[in-house]
Amino acid sequence: MTSLLTFLSISPCAHSQEADGTSASGAQIEAWQSFRTSHPFHLQVVALSRSGEDGSRTLIVSEPPPNVALDDVSRLSPCIASTETAKKRFGVDGWVKDIVMRLRPCRDEQIQELVIALHRTLFGTAYKAYTVPVNGVRETAPGTDLNLHVTSSQLNRWLIGGTRERPSSFSIAAISVLLAILFVYLWLARKLLRRSRPLSLTFLTLVFLMFFLAALPHRAKPSDPEVLRLRPVLGGNSVTLQTLLDSGAHGVYATAEPGLVVWCVGEDANLDKSSVEAREFAVDSDLILGAIGSAKKVAIVGRTRSTSIAWMPPLRTETILQLASANTGELEQSYERKFLWAGKTDQTGNGAEKIDWAPIYLSDQLLDTEYGSLLNITDQMLKSWSMHGLIRYVNFPYPDPATYPFRKPLNREANTNEVLFNWNTRGAGYVSQFSGFEVFSLNQLGSLPIDYLALDNANLRQAEDTAYGYYSQLSDPNLVRVVQYAGLYQIFTHFGIKATPGNHEHHAVSVLKEKTGQLIKAITEKKDSDPLFQGDDPVSASIRDAHGLLEKFSEEASPEQYDELIACIADPAAARSGAASSDKDTRTIAHLCQRVSSALQPVLSAEFRTVAGMLYENEANSRSGSIWIHTPSVVFSTAMGEVAGATGGHNLSAAVTDFKVDSSLRAGEVRVTTEDGHAVVYHSEADAEKIPETARLAGRDAEKDPEVLKREIQGMLKDQASDLRTLTDSLYPRGGRFAEGASMGFDPRQVPDGGDTPGWWSTKDAPDPERSRLVAAFSAGKAKQAKPVIIVSRVADHRYDIVGPAGLHMQADNLPAAVEAVRSTAEDTLGADSLHLHFQGVDEEEGRGFVRSTEAQMKDHEAVDASFEGSMSEEDIRALTAEYDLSKATVREVSAPHMVDGHAVIDASLEIPAKGWFGKPLLIRIRLFFSDMASAAALLPQQIGVLLHAVSEQADLFFALRRLEIDLQKAHPGIRKVDIHLVNSQRKDLYVVEDRRPSGLGPSGNRAA
C-alpha cells in the first residue's frame, strides 16, 4: 500500500478558522457581540442601541442585501462617525458580515431620518420601517403554532368561493351594438316583406334573434357573500380576489380583520420591478399559506403577521427574487460523504473522536445566499437530532432539543448500519382546481417532509412519519423559513413567475485534480499479478474493484473522456452536474466516477484526508461571491460510538402534486395518470374538500405504479372528513398574541421591547371626511392635468396624516417617513410621475423642504406642485361662511403687472359683505407671482376678474377658496405662486400657496430628506 501512495505527498497549506469579530472598537465591539449573542443565526435587520454617557450610539445593519455596498450606507447621515464591518462565523468556513456604526450625539429626529434612509437603501422602501434593540434578550418561542395546516379547499372557500364573478356588461357600447343589430334586422326584414318571402324572413328572424340574445347585456354576478374582501395595504377600496385576478392587478392587499395578506403579481409575471411589493408582503405576513392563480395572474397568500419581527423576520427580497430566477427544476444541498478525499481525518474534536470532513454541495443558485446557509443549518438539525445527538458538527451552536425524534439513534431504531437523511419537497406542495382557478397549498408549514433511506433497510416509512411530525411541531423559525422559501420556489415555477437571473457562475475546485489523476493512473496501470491485489483485506479488495473499473474504461475512453473522469472524481460539483446531464456519455462517466470514488475511499489514510480537506477548503473559499454572506464549503463532524457519518441533504423539487376534478368519477373514486412526467390525481367534485389530506401520500409515492397509488389514495379518502375549520381556528390554533385587534399586517407590538417603528404605514381607519372631500375638490379642478392630489396634515405627536385618492390613508412618524410615503403612493400605488401636495398644519418653510425632498426621490425631479394652508383652520374658514354673503362678492381691483422684491406680480382683491346690518365686509387679497414680466402681462385683468367673481357661485367659503386657487393656477402656466390673504374685523388670515419650483430649507435649517 505504501508504494501505491508515495506519490501523494500533499503539502498542507495554512488553515485557520477565523473567529467571530469586528474591526470596530470599544462600545461597538461589546454592542455587536451582545447583538449576535441574542441573534446567533441569520437575521437581516437594523438594530439601534440606547445613547451612551457621551450621547453616542451603536447602529448595526446585519447581513445587508448583496446589492448594497459599505459606501452606500456610510455617507447617509452626518450622524455617522465611523463605519466598520463585523464577521459572524457559520460552520467551518462560512460567515456573514454586519455593518457596525458609531453614531455621534444627534437629535432623535436625525436618528429617525437615518433609519428611514437606511431602509430605503436596503429595501427600496421605508414602509413600516423598524429597529430592534442591540442589547435585547434572546427571542423565545412564540405562543402561536407555526405548523399550520391550511388546505387548498380552505383557501378557495375564503378567497374565491363557489360562484364565479361576472361584471355587468351594460354600457353605451353594448346598447349601441344591440341597436345596430336591430336596425340591420329591420332593414333586411322590410326588404323580405316587400318581396313576400316568409320563409327567408323566418330564417332571418331566428338568426338575428340568436345574435341579439348573444349581445344582450347581462347583470353583474357577485361572488359568495362569505368571501373575504381585500383592501390595499396602502389604502383604498376593498375588492374580492376574483376581481383582482381578473383585472391582472398587482400590489399587496389584506383582509379588513387580521387574517390574510395577499401579494398579487400582475400579468407580466416578472418580479424584477416588484422588489418594493415583495418587501411590503414580507413585512406584513409571517407565513406563506399558498397561492391562487389563473394563467399568469397569481396571488400569493400569507398569514397576517402575528409573531415577533425578531423571531420570524420578514422573508428577504433578494432570496425571493433569487428563487424566481432559479430557472431549474431542482435545487440541492448535500454533504458529499462519498467524495474520494472525504472521510475521517487525523484530527480530533472536543472528545477523543476523530473529525470527519466532507465538501458541501450547493446548487450554483444557492451559493453565498441566506437560503443556502439555512439548508446547511437545518440539514445538521435533521442528522444530529435523528441520531440522538451522537453526530456533532463543528461550530453548530444550536441548542439541543428537550427530546429527540426517537428513543434511540435512528440506525439502532431501524437496525441498519447506514442511513441516507433527506429533506425533500415530495408531498410538500400541491395544486387543486376550483372554478377555473388553480389553488396551491402547502401540506404543513413546520418543516419539509423527510426521507430516511437505509441501504439494507428500505422500510423506514414509520420513522419518516414520526420525524416529520416531530420536526414540524417544533415551530422552529429556521425549519419554517426553509418551508416558506421552498413553497415560493414551487409557486414561481408552477405559475411561470420569473426574475432576471443573477450571476450563478460555477466555481470549480480543481486543487485535487492533479493528485486524483496520479492516483487513478497508478491504479489503472497496475498489473493483475501485483501483490497489492492479492490481499484478503478490505483495502486490497477495494483496489481490485477500482482497477477493474478503470482498466475497462481506459481501453474504450478517449483522452477527453479520461480527463472528464478525473475532473468528476476530483470535484463533487462536477460529479453532480454530470449525473444530471442530458448527454448519455456524460452520465455514464458520472456513474463510473461514483463507483470508483466509493471503491478507493478506504485506500486513503486519515493524514491524506486531513491535508486534502485543507486544500479543498482554501480553494473553495477563493470564489468571488456576495460581500455579506459566504456559505460554508466544507463540514467537519464527529460521530460518537458505532455511528457512521450521515449522508444526505435537501432535494428541493419544483414539481408539485396535481389534483384535478373529473366529473365522471363518483365520491371516493380517483384516477391516477402521468402527465408531463409527473403523477396527476383525478377525483370527484364531492371529494374536493377531502382530497388535500392525501397530498403527502400522493407526492411521496408518486413514482409507484398508478394502480397501486390509486388504491392507496382511495383507501385514505375513506377515513377523511371535510375540513370546515374557521379562518381564525386554522390560522391561530393557539390564539396568538396579536390575533385580536391587530392592524393590517405588521403591528408595532411585534417589535421587541426597546425597538422602534419610525416608518410609515397604512391605517385601516377611514380618512377624515373633510380631507377626502378636499382631495375630491382638488382632483376635479386638476382633471386635465391628470395630477393626483395628496393631502399632508401635521397631527398630534408630530406625526403626519396622509390622504390620497381612492381612499388612500397613511400615517408617518416623522418627516422623512412621510416623504417616502408620499413618493411611494404617487409612483408605486397611483403610477403617477407627478403630483400635487396640499399641506395642512405645516408652515411654508417646512413644506417647501418636504416638496424638495419628495422631488429628489421621484423619477422626475421637478414633478411636484404644492399648496399650503396657513394660520386659519378649516373650521374657522367655514365659520365665516355663516357671517358673510358669498353670493354678493364683488371684485374691488386688479392691478397692472409690477415688480415686488424682484418678482413679477399682479395684485387683486375681492370684497364679501357681511350678512348682518352692522358687520364689516371680508376682504380677500390675492397676489399672483409670475415667472417673468412677460408672463404677467399676458394675463388680461378681465380674465382675473371673471375667476374672482366665480367665488360668488359657491356655497362654502373654504371650498370657494380651494376652487379659486385651482382656477387661478389653471388660468396661465406662467403663474408661479398664488397668495390668498383674508382680512376681517379680527384680522384673521389664511395663506394658500401654489409653488411650482419650491426651494428652501426645513424647519431645523437642514434640507428635509
Side-chain angles (χ1 to χ4, degrees):
M1 180 63 61
T2 303
S3 62
L4 174 65
L5 300 177
T6 51
F7 67 89
L8 290 177
S9 54
I10 304 177
S11 300
C13 57
H15 174 76
S16 64
Q17 293 183 9
E18 184 178 1
D20 297 345
T22 172
S23 55
S25 58
Q28 280 65 53
I29 290 180
E30 294 180 8
W32 178 77
Q33 290 174 338
S34 174
F35 171 77
R36 275 303 180 181
T37 299
S38 301
H39 308 286
F41 294 98
H42 289 290
L43 181 68
Q44 188 179 74
V45 76
V46 177
L48 183 64
S49 74
R50 299 181 186 276
S51 298
E53 293 182 359
D54 61 351
S56 66
R57 299 189 187 195
T58 298
L59 187 147
I60 297 171
V61 179
S62 62
E63 305 178 40
N67 62 308
V68 175
L70 188 62
D71 286 346
D72 294 336
V73 300
S74 60
R75 302 171 185 172
L76 286 177
S77 169
C79 294
I80 301 174
S82 65
T83 305
E84 311 290 347
T85 60
K87 183 182 288 186
K88 164 70 177 173
R89 193 161 60 90
F90 280 87
V92 175
D93 58 336
W95 47 259
V96 295
K97 285 184 180 179
D98 304 330
I99 298 175
V100 182
M101 301 180 185
R102 184 175 70 84
L103 303 184
R104 298 184 178 92
C106 286
R107 301 189 312 276
D108 288 345
E109 293 82 1
Q110 292 174 296
I111 299 298
Q112 290 179 333
E113 183 175 339
L114 171 57
V115 171
I116 295 300
L118 275 171
H119 277 76
R120 279 186 49 81
T121 302
L122 298 172
F123 311 119
T125 177
Y127 176 72
K128 297 188 178 180
Y130 64 91
T131 62
V132 301
V134 165
N135 300 313
V137 297
R138 188 164 183 172
E139 284 288 310
T140 57
T144 55
D145 184 1
L146 302 180
N147 183 37
L148 303 188
H149 174 66
V150 176
T151 67
S152 58
S153 59
Q154 287 180 299
L155 292 179
N156 176 71
R157 187 166 66 248
W158 297 337
L159 291 169
I160 298 296
T163 303
R164 188 65 173 94
E165 279 183 10
R166 186 178 62 185
S168 170
S169 63
F170 279 95
S171 65
I172 294 176
I175 299 301
S176 299
V177 170
L178 287 175
L179 292 175
I181 293 173
L182 184 60
F183 176 80
V184 172
Y185 169 75
L186 292 174
W187 182 74
L188 292 174
R190 184 166 173 267
K191 283 183 170 291
L192 292 174
L193 283 172
R194 284 182 176 180
R195 297 179 183 180
S196 301
R197 300 176 64 177
L199 290 178
S200 298
L201 179 59
T202 303
F203 177 76
L204 177 69
T205 302
L206 291 174
V207 169
F208 269 84
L209 183 60
M210 292 172 58
F211 276 105
F212 190 85
L213 292 176
L216 193 65
H218 54 74
R219 298 172 59 187
K221 188 176 182 180
S223 59
D224 294 344
E226 296 82 9
V227 166
L228 299 173
R229 297 182 68 85
L230 301 164
R231 182 172 177 260
V233 296
L234 300 185
N237 300 321
S238 63
V239 293
T240 65
L241 183 58
Q242 286 195 47
T243 299
L244 293 175
L245 292 175
D246 288 342
S247 65
H250 65 88
V252 183
Y253 300 78
T255 52
E257 295 302 321
L260 301 176
V261 178
V262 172
W263 176 20
C264 290
V265 180
E267 292 184 2
D268 58 0
N270 190 301
L271 300 185
D272 285 347
K273 297 181 180 179
S274 301
S275 58
V276 170
E277 292 176 3
R279 174 65 181 178
E280 292 168 353
F281 177 72
V283 168
D284 279 335
S285 64
D286 59 6
L287 293 171
I288 303 292
L289 303 176
I292 301 175
S294 176
K296 293 183 179 180
K297 306 167 189 177
V298 185
I300 301 170
V301 184
R303 183 182 76 167
T304 301
R305 178 172 291 280
S306 67
T307 52
S308 165
I309 207 82
W311 180 258
M312 286 291 292
L315 298 178
R316 299 191 187 182
T317 301
E318 64 266 27
T319 308
I320 293 172
L321 296 180
Q322 160 215 340
L323 293 170
S325 68
N327 195 30
T328 180
E330 189 166 66
L331 297 173
E332 294 180 286
Q333 171 272 334
S334 69
Y335 297 159
E336 300 293 277
R337 300 286 182 187
K338 299 300 183 182
F339 177 53
L340 171 61
W341 301 93
K344 204 169 290 293
T345 69
D346 60 1
Q347 306 294 307
T348 58
N350 293 331
E353 299 81 15
K354 296 292 185 182
I355 291 177
D356 279 88
W357 90 275
I360 297 177
Y361 173 78
L362 284 171
S363 297
D364 291 342
Q365 296 90 339
L366 298 174
L367 280 172
D368 299 333
T369 66
E370 173 216 11
Y371 198 27
S373 187
L374 279 173
L375 296 180
N376 278 319
I377 293 170
T378 54
D379 192 15
Q380 293 176 10
M381 294 170 68
L382 173 64
K383 292 166 182 172
S384 179
W385 297 356
S386 293
M387 296 301 290
H388 230 258
L390 296 182
I391 296 177
R392 296 286 178 176
Y393 294 91
V394 171
N395 198 28
F396 175 59
Y398 230 88
D400 288 339
T403 59
Y404 290 110
F406 310 106
R407 292 174 299 174
K408 50 189 177 181
L410 179 61
N411 64 324
R412 297 177 195 167
E413 187 93 5
N415 192 27
T416 184
N417 293 324
E418 189 171 359
V419 179
L420 177 69
F421 301 75
N422 258 354
W423 296 107
N424 65 68
T425 53
R426 290 192 299 177
Y430 62 94
V431 172
S432 301
Q433 311 285 332
F434 296 94
S435 303
F437 293 97
E438 287 188 298
V439 183
F440 171 94
S441 188
L442 288 161
N443 184 47
Q444 286 186 175
L445 303 187
S447 80
L448 290 176
I450 295 169
D451 270 350
Y452 291 134
L453 302 176
L455 299 181
D456 51 357
N457 184 351
N459 189 21
L460 284 170
R461 289 177 70 94
Q462 183 58 48
E464 292 170 355
D465 292 338
T466 299
Y468 189 21
Y470 167 83
Y471 283 102
S472 294
Q473 292 300 327
L474 291 176
S475 288
D476 178 89
N478 286 319
L479 291 174
V480 172
R481 201 170 181 85
V482 166
V483 178
Q484 302 294 282
Y485 284 137
L488 284 175
Y489 172 55
Q490 291 188 323
I491 289 169
F492 294 156
T493 304
H494 183 80
F495 290 106
I497 300 172
K498 304 290 185 183
T500 301
N503 183 15
H504 302 317
E505 184 177 347
H506 172 64
H507 178 75
V509 180
S510 58
V511 66
L512 297 173
K513 184 176 180 180
E514 181 182 352
K515 298 304 179 184
T516 301
Q518 293 172 356
L519 177 61
I520 297 303
K521 181 179 179 182
I523 293 177
T524 304
E525 293 178 350
K526 288 291 180 183
K527 303 298 182 184
D528 291 341
S529 58
D530 192 293
L532 196 60
F533 296 146
Q534 308 307 314
D536 294 330
D537 57 288
V539 173
S540 295
S542 294
I543 295 176
R544 284 196 300 272
D545 292 342
H547 173 73
L549 294 169
L550 291 169
E551 186 177 44
K552 181 179 179 182
F553 177 76
S554 62
E555 292 173 355
E556 302 173 353
S558 66
E560 291 78 13
Q561 290 175 322
Y562 190 83
D563 188 64
E564 187 178 345
L565 175 65
I566 302 301
C568 180
I569 296 174
D571 182 4
R576 287 265 180 175
S577 176
S581 173
S582 58
D583 182 75
K584 181 179 179 182
D585 292 339
T586 302
R587 292 198 307 273
T588 300
I589 292 173
H591 181 63
L592 178 62
C593 163
Q594 296 171 5
R595 295 180 64 189
V596 171
S597 297
S598 297
L600 288 180
Q601 262 197 331
V603 174
L604 300 177
S605 68
E607 179 185 2
F608 285 126
R609 293 195 188 100
T610 301
V611 179
M614 295 178 184
L615 291 170
Y616 185 94
E617 175 192 343
N618 284 335
E619 181 168 347
N621 286 330
S622 68
R623 68 178 182 267
S624 60
S626 170
I627 60 175
W628 303 115
I629 184 168
H630 182 87
T631 46
S633 57
V634 297
V635 59
F636 288 0
S637 62
T638 58
M640 292 179 281
E642 298 297 322
V643 178
T647 60
H650 286 80
N651 296 107
L652 307 178
S653 172
V656 297
T657 303
D658 264 332
F659 292 113
K660 296 182 179 181
V661 174
D662 184 344
S663 57
S664 67
L665 295 172
R666 294 176 297 179
E669 291 183 343
V670 300
R671 177 168 56 88
V672 180
T673 64
T674 301
E675 299 177 10
D676 297 326
H678 68 280
V680 177
V681 179
Y682 287 88
H683 59 89
S684 71
E685 181 73 39
D687 290 326
E689 293 278 349
K690 301 178 182 179
I691 200 69
E693 302 300 334
T694 69
R696 164 71 170 146
L697 172 66
R700 185 190 210 174
D701 293 346
E703 296 178 2
K704 284 188 176 182
D705 181 84
E707 282 300 315
V708 174
L709 182 55
K710 168 186 171 180
R711 289 194 295 271
E712 290 180 348
I713 295 175
Q714 288 184 165
M716 188 174 183
L717 269 179
K718 293 178 181 178
D719 302 323
Q720 300 303 318
S722 297
D723 191 342
L724 300 178
R725 291 174 297 159
T726 65
L727 181 140
T728 301
D729 290 340
S730 299
L731 300 187
Y732 306 99
R734 295 184 192 168
R737 286 182 291 173
F738 306 115
E740 298 297 331
S743 61
M744 288 198 312
F746 169 71
D747 189 276
R749 290 172 292 180
Q750 292 153 7
V751 173
D753 292 340
D756 193 15
T757 54
W760 62 274
W761 58 93
S762 172
T763 172
K764 62 183 180 181
D765 298 330
D768 181 271
E770 294 299 334
R771 289 176 187 148
S772 296
R773 288 181 60 196
L774 187 54
V775 169
F778 267 104
S779 300
K782 295 180 178 285
K784 292 183 180 180
Q785 300 178 22
K787 252 184 198 181
V789 176
I790 296 176
I791 310 298
V792 180
S793 307
R794 179 73 78 90
V795 293
D797 302 325
H798 301 288
R799 291 188 173 188
Y800 291 84
D801 189 81
I802 301 163
V803 178
L808 294 174
H809 187 204
M810 287 146 290
Q811 293 180 342
D813 263 352
N814 49 70
L815 189 145
V819 169
E820 158 65 13
V822 168
R823 196 279 317 160
S824 179
T825 299
E827 293 188 336
D828 301 334
T829 306
L830 301 175
D833 54 8
S834 62
L835 72 153
H836 179 96
L837 294 179
H838 181 73
F839 293 96
Q840 293 182 325
V842 177
D843 63 53
E844 186 174 343
E845 186 179 14
E846 178 185 352
R848 286 182 176 179
F850 192 111
V851 171
R852 188 180 185 90
S853 298
T854 305
E855 286 190 322
Q857 293 185 15
M858 293 187 69
K859 297 170 186 175
D860 182 350
H861 296 321
E862 293 186 351
V864 182
D865 293 347
S867 55
F868 297 80
E869 288 186 19
S871 59
M872 201 170 179
S873 71
E874 181 178 330
E875 290 74 15
D876 289 338
I877 298 171
R878 286 217 156 84
L880 294 177
T881 304
E883 299 179 28
Y884 298 95
D885 190 350
L886 267 67
S887 65
K888 297 180 180 179
T890 57
V891 179
R892 282 187 50 176
E893 67 168 328
V894 177
S895 75
H898 59 284
M899 300 296 294
V900 175
D901 297 330
H903 300 284
V905 303
I906 293 178
D907 290 323
S909 61
L910 187 70
E911 187 175 272
I912 305 176
K915 291 182 178 179
W917 286 99
F918 305 104
K920 293 183 179 181
L922 175 69
L923 183 64
I924 302 176
R925 292 174 178 166
I926 301 103
R927 172 165 286 178
L928 308 180
F929 291 79
F930 294 82
S931 54
D932 52 50
M933 185 61 77
S935 297
L939 187 61
L940 298 176
Q942 294 91 328
Q943 293 176 276
I944 299 176
V946 170
L947 294 174
L948 294 180
H949 192 266
V951 168
S952 63
E953 300 173 5
Q954 304 294 325
D956 183 297
L957 180 60
F958 181 77
F959 280 104
L961 295 176
R962 295 286 77 69
R963 187 73 197 193
L964 176 61
E965 182 268 330
I966 293 167
D967 290 342
L968 287 170
Q969 189 268 329
K970 288 174 59 180
H972 196 282
I975 295 179
R976 184 175 178 272
K977 188 171 71 170
V978 178
D979 279 4
I980 300 178
H981 188 193
L982 275 66
V983 181
N984 67 353
S985 58
Q986 287 79 38
R987 305 293 299 175
K988 291 186 177 180
D989 59 8
L990 159 79
Y991 288 94
V992 179
V993 181
E994 173 75 18
D995 195 345
R996 294 192 175 191
R997 294 290 180 269
S999 60
L1001 301 177
S1004 62
N1006 295 318
R1007 292 193 186 281

